[in-house]
Amino acid sequence: MADPGVPVGAHVERILGSVTPLAPVTVPLGDAVGLVTAADVTAAVSLPRFDHAAMDGYAVRAADVASARPGAPVALPVAGVVAAGDAVEPVLAPGTAWRIMTGAPVPAGADAVVPFEWTDRGRAQVRIDDAVPVARHIRRAGEDVVEGTVAVAHGTVLAPRHLALLAAVGTAAVSVHPASRVAVVVTGQELAVPDTELAGLPGHIPDSNSVALVAAARAAGAQVTAYGPVPDDTRLLLEQLALAAETADLVVTTGGVSAGDHDVVKAALRDREGFWFGSVAIKPGRPQGAGAVTASDGRTVPVVSLPGTPVAAYSSFRLFAEPALRVLAGQRPDAVVRAILDVPVDVAADRTLVLPATYVAPGRVAQLAGHVGHSQRLLAAADVLLVVPPGDAPLAAGAEVAILPLGLPA
Ligand SMILES: Nc1nc2c(c(=O)[nH]1)N[C@H]1C(S)=C(S)[C@@H](COP(=O)(O)OP(=O)(O)OC[C@H]3O[C@@H](n4cnc5c(N)ncnc54)[C@H](O)[C@@H]3O)O[C@H]1N2
Ligand code: MOO
């Protein structure tokens, strides 16, 4: 009877056991997109920084124009003009108006802005056709963010909107966990780099795992270096692994982890302290390995060893390597996304199934027809992978299921 394998969650936990967030660095906002804040960021200046006009028009005291009605206007002398960027601190005397542009500081003493459309746009004197309530068309200092309060919290994945907010509250640089460095080491003497002329090389196939995993790690925000293909030789593999660990925060290997005569990754690492090779209760992706090596500078570099079969390599990367990348980046390891099944799916009693599926409507997914376990064509055609945990009965239409989205992050 085959080993049922350890549960998916237990294997994730094993990997995360040797992963800690990367030490924070301070980077300019322009370099921070996609990185995670390592501390709360407080506002250096309020937003808005000062009371400013929200419309082009006239700053007034609301009381001075309270009697204005269409047909019974009020006239006020215009004391001056202030535009956005004028380095002035104007003062409004009672019974006067300042001509003011959107974004300009509201003169002290004014408490409302009358838009041009309600006036004759006069320059020396202005006719105001209607009353305005106090505070109308003024954006108050600090009404959005008050100086000294938290603008962006610790643990935020910095998107363009967060960077804009940080800039707006006077922040030029931010403390973040740096982008992780991932080494992808593919193994297998059958592998040829993709532009190799295969005609004279019977038994060889294009290396697609390097392409997939380099791109997947980049899409997850990592800086990636590819090593290999490494032939089935433990000495060469250990050399490449040691080299890879020197400049990586995580090493991902593919191939050579099952039961064959040439399963080089397992042969090279299985007896090392801290390494584990065995079965995970999942299909595809049953044979897996994990451990850590020590770089020459003393860093512990986690190693995630994925099976070579391309669909298993990709889905295992998403399930087992990405949580480690999230932790390195300062995020929570899990990023569970769910969808509703449009049609039932079979489950397995003893293992998680990973199945290609497409969206049939927003939030509703259906397994792709013709699933044969290792089809790279179906993986490429899918929108999501269903992650169906072990169970006793098929999951019904309408049931919620965890998914791995396959699109690129927005
Ligand atoms: N006797 C057993 N045989 C196998 C078992 C088992 O339990 N007992 N498990 C099977 C399962 S499940 C999987 S998955 C594979 C995983 O094997 P390995 O990780 O050792 O991978 P390889 O043997 O190196 O390769 C498997 C397959 O994938 C192709 N491959 C590998 N690397 C690449 C690449 N970079 N690009 C494209 N294709 C690649 C390789 O040529 C093989 O066809 O083991 C089963 N066997
Ligand atoms: O576990 Mo493997 O099912 O062929 O990826």
Side-chain angles (χ1 to χ4, degrees):
M1 172 87 186
D3 170 12
V6 302
V8 168
H11 189 54
V12 172
E13 289 308 317
R14 182 195 304 277
I15 290 167
L16 295 182
S18 55
V19 182
T20 51
L22 296 171
V25 292
T26 298
V27 301
L29 293 187
D31 295 337
V33 71
L35 302 177
V36 180
T37 49
D40 288 346
V41 190
T42 53
V45 296
S46 286
L47 177 64
R49 186 174 165 217
F50 46 82
D51 293 358
H52 73 163
M55 299 281 262
D56 300 312
Y58 295 87
V60 298
R61 291 197 323 170
D64 290 340
V65 298
S67 68
R69 296 282 175 278
V74 168
L76 296 175
V78 176
V81 183
V82 61
D86 287 351
V88 292
E89 292 182 324
V91 178
L92 177 124
T96 68
W98 274 71
R99 200 175 163 91
I100 192 166
M101 306 306 140
T102 303
V106 174
D111 59 13
V113 170
V114 182
F116 277 141
E117 292 82 343
W118 298 12
T119 75
D120 67 352
R121 297 177 170 244
R123 288 186 182 271
Q125 175 176 295
V126 59
R127 189 193 79 218
I128 292 181
D129 294 330
D130 213 341
V132 279
V134 169
R136 180 60 55 91
H137 303 313
I138 293 178
R139 294 196 59 222
R140 289 287 173 202
E143 73 176 28
D144 203 356
V145 182
V146 176
E147 180 182 326
T149 62
V150 174
V152 172
H154 178 200
T156 303
V157 184
L158 289 169
R161 60 205 164 91
H162 302 113
L163 299 174
L165 176 60
L166 290 174
V169 298
T171 301
V174 63
S175 174
V176 290
H177 299 282
S180 56
R181 301 164 302 167
V182 171
V184 172
V185 183
V186 301
T187 69
Q189 59 204 14
E190 73 278 30
L191 302 175
V193 294
D195 63 353
T196 305
E197 175 50 66
L198 291 172
L201 288 171
H204 281 61
I205 59 168
D207 163 21
S208 65
N209 285 349
S210 293
V211 175
L213 299 191
V214 166
R218 280 202 185 123
Q223 293 167 355
V224 192
T225 311
Y227 296 82
V230 182
D232 298 335
D233 174 321
T234 53
R235 190 184 54 81
L236 286 178
L237 175 69
L238 289 172
E239 256 175 42
Q240 290 295 298
L241 210 55
L243 186 64
E246 287 303 297
T247 53
D249 304 306
L250 176 75
V251 178
V252 177
T253 68
T254 76
V257 295
S258 60
D261 293 340
H262 299 272
D263 283 332
V264 62
V265 175
K266 189 169 164 180
L269 299 172
R270 67 185 304 166
D271 295 328
R272 287 239 187 150
E273 196 188 327
F275 270 89
W276 172 89
F277 288 87
S279 294
V280 175
I282 191 167
K283 184 182 168 65
R286 201 166 84 94
Q288 298 284 341
V293 293
T294 306
S296 62
D297 60 4
R299 286 175 311 118
T300 297
V301 182
V303 178
V304 178
S305 291
L306 308 174
T309 316
V311 174
Y314 176 78
S315 59
S316 303
F317 178 88
R318 300 292 309 272
L319 285 167
F320 301 126
E322 278 189 4
L325 291 181
R326 283 193 287 271
V327 169
L328 287 169
Q331 288 178 265
R332 289 163 49 91
D334 54 317
V336 179
V337 183
R338 293 181 186 282
I340 302 294
L341 286 176
D342 198 57
V343 290
V345 293
D346 282 337
V347 302
D350 57 354
R351 57 191 167 174
T352 295
L353 298 180
V354 180
L355 305 168
T358 51
Y359 280 113
V360 295
R364 286 188 85 84
V365 290
Q367 188 183 343
L368 278 170
H371 173 62
V372 289
H374 281 301
S375 169
Q376 286 189 264
R377 181 180 57 78
L378 283 188
L379 176 60
D383 297 319
V384 304
L385 290 172
L386 309 181
V387 183
V388 182
D392 299 329
L395 287 184
E400 213 181 48
V401 64
I403 60 168
L404 292 172
L406 297 175
L408 293 174

